[in-house]
Amino acid sequence: MQYDALKTFITLVEVNNFTKASEILHISQPSVSLHIKNLEREFQTTLFIRSPKSVQITPTGEILYKRAKQMLAIAEAAKEDILTYHHEIQGTLVVGASFTIGEYILPPIIASLQQQFPQLELQVIIGNTKEIIQYTKLLQVDIGLIEGQAHDHELIIHPFMQDELFIVSASNHPLAKVPTITVADLQQQNWVAREDGSGTRYYLDHLFRANGLQVRSLLTISSNQGVKESVIQGLGLSLLSASVIERELKNNDIKILPLEDQHFTRTFSYLYSPTMKNKRNVDTLIEALLKKA
């Protein structure tokens, strides 16, 4: 089984078009077809159902796709191990990060790594917690960084940092003038929240359920910045990470509303496939995360 054939197969699955695959791989379209035919001959199965307008992967193609991603990851890990032998950190590291981590925690870590290891090419993919877990399982990223809970037997998951969340409002909101608020104060309020699948949304939903809060309105926005701007404009309260609101607190754009006898903490975790275990580039990022914590 050839490395190039597997790489071609994976690319074709992901772009679903022979012409696009040939352009991405910088090989001819007949070469793409030949790689696929060779794999089908080797595995004695049909990997794609072809028609003039589309390419559809078969069930056995799905099986090979999952294993092919793992095999290529192992091959990349072997390259990394050889580079490690020569005491060099280089190649590519693809990091998946949930929004809060990717936008506020990760940038200074990335900057430090680029200074230390100029030959290391870093790519960051940002999504919500649910998306990052999926990307990590499919080996679309080498390592994922998430906020909130994750339980998946296919992944290795470790905490690396504690985070605190705060109920916040616009500076001119009536509750901003109260030293400490109660659960009763939060009844029938307008709220601004992240989307389902976000770690921050998970904790806000828990706040609602645990305290029996009735919500007057709920505005959902799929970015921290959008949530903050909406809060500043007085569209509602929100629950946000301390790292997300640091600048707005200094500028007095947002106020923390301390809730009587309640604090909100969560854990940031890194996760990766067992295939990535002991991969030098992944270990380098983990070491940087633990230093930051």
Side-chain angles (χ1 to χ4, degrees):
M1 190 175 0
Q2 295 183 357
Y3 178 92
D4 288 342
L6 287 175
K7 188 174 180 181
T8 300
F9 168 72
I10 289 170
T11 304
L12 182 57
V13 171
E14 293 176 348
V15 302
N16 202 35
N17 183 283
F18 276 81
T19 302
K20 286 183 180 178
S22 68
E23 290 172 353
I24 291 170
L25 296 168
H26 304 293
I27 60 176
S28 67
Q29 192 168 329
S31 294
V32 173
S33 298
L34 181 60
H35 282 162
I36 302 305
K37 286 179 182 177
N38 287 341
L39 288 174
E40 289 179 331
R41 188 181 304 116
E42 181 170 354
F43 289 100
Q44 298 181 12
T45 190
T46 300
L47 299 173
F48 296 97
I49 298 172
R50 304 162 177 82
S51 71
K53 293 186 178 180
S54 67
V55 181
Q56 183 178 352
I57 191 169
T58 64
T60 53
E62 291 281 5
I63 292 170
L64 180 59
Y65 175 71
K66 181 178 179 181
R67 295 302 183 189
K69 292 284 284 186
Q70 293 173 341
M71 285 186 277
L72 260 62
I74 290 170
E76 287 298 319
K79 290 181 182 179
E80 298 287 348
D81 290 343
I82 292 170
L83 289 173
T84 300
Y85 180 80
H86 294 293
H87 306 291
E88 293 184 23
I89 301 294
Q90 57 180 301
T92 302
L93 176 63
V94 184
V95 183
S98 59
F99 281 91
T100 299
I101 299 173
E103 293 173 343
Y104 298 95
I105 305 298
L106 195 55
I109 295 174
I110 293 293
S112 176
L113 286 177
Q114 287 186 325
Q115 285 185 337
Q116 289 180 266
F117 311 109
Q119 294 184 352
L120 178 62
E121 180 184 340
L122 287 151
Q123 298 176 14
V124 179
I125 297 173
I126 295 179
N128 64 40
T129 291
K130 185 177 179 181
E131 290 169 337
I132 297 304
I133 292 172
Q134 189 66 10
Y135 295 157
T136 308
K137 288 175 67 173
L138 295 177
L139 298 175
Q140 293 174 344
V141 299
D142 298 323
I143 181 171
L145 310 176
I146 62 166
E147 55 211 64
Q149 302 295 317
H151 304 283
D152 197 301
H153 68 277
E154 294 183 36
L155 299 172
I156 297 170
I157 305 170
H158 291 291
F160 72 89
M161 185 176 178
Q162 289 294 114
D163 181 46
E164 189 167 7
L165 297 152
F166 295 98
I167 299 172
V168 295
S169 73
S171 296
N172 60 356
H173 192 282
L175 291 180
K177 301 171 184 177
V178 180
T180 305
I181 63 171
T182 65
V183 170
D185 293 323
L186 296 178
Q187 294 290 356
Q188 293 299 326
Q189 292 286 344
N190 300 322
W191 291 84
V192 187
R194 287 284 309 281
E195 77 286 1
D196 286 334
S198 157
T200 304
R201 176 61 179 270
Y202 171 88
Y203 279 88
L204 181 60
D205 288 343
H206 176 72
L207 171 69
F208 292 160
R209 290 193 303 269
N211 294 281
L213 292 180
Q214 298 297 314
V215 176
R216 180 186 299 165
S217 69
L218 182 66
L219 171 62
T220 301
I221 301 177
S222 58
S223 80
N224 288 316
Q225 190 61 38
V227 171
K228 285 193 298 184
E229 289 299 323
S230 299
V231 170
I232 291 169
Q233 295 303 318
L235 297 182
L237 311 180
S238 191
L239 185 71
L240 290 171
S241 166
S243 58
V244 171
I245 59 175
E246 186 176 343
R247 183 179 302 171
E248 287 73 20
L249 288 174
K250 288 180 180 177
N251 293 338
N252 200 35
D253 294 324
I254 277 178
K255 288 287 188 181
I256 290 175
L257 307 181
L259 181 58
E260 189 175 62
D261 299 326
Q262 291 197 44
H263 299 278
F264 309 100
T265 59
R266 62 179 175 179
T267 300
F268 290 158
S269 299
Y270 63 84
L271 61 160
Y272 55 88
S273 165
T275 304
M276 297 295 172
K277 190 172 184 179
N278 298 324
K279 184 177 179 182
R280 182 59 180 147
N281 287 354
V282 171
D283 287 344
T284 299
L285 178 62
I286 291 172
E287 289 167 9
L289 289 172
L290 295 177
K291 277 186 184 177
K292 170 75 175 177

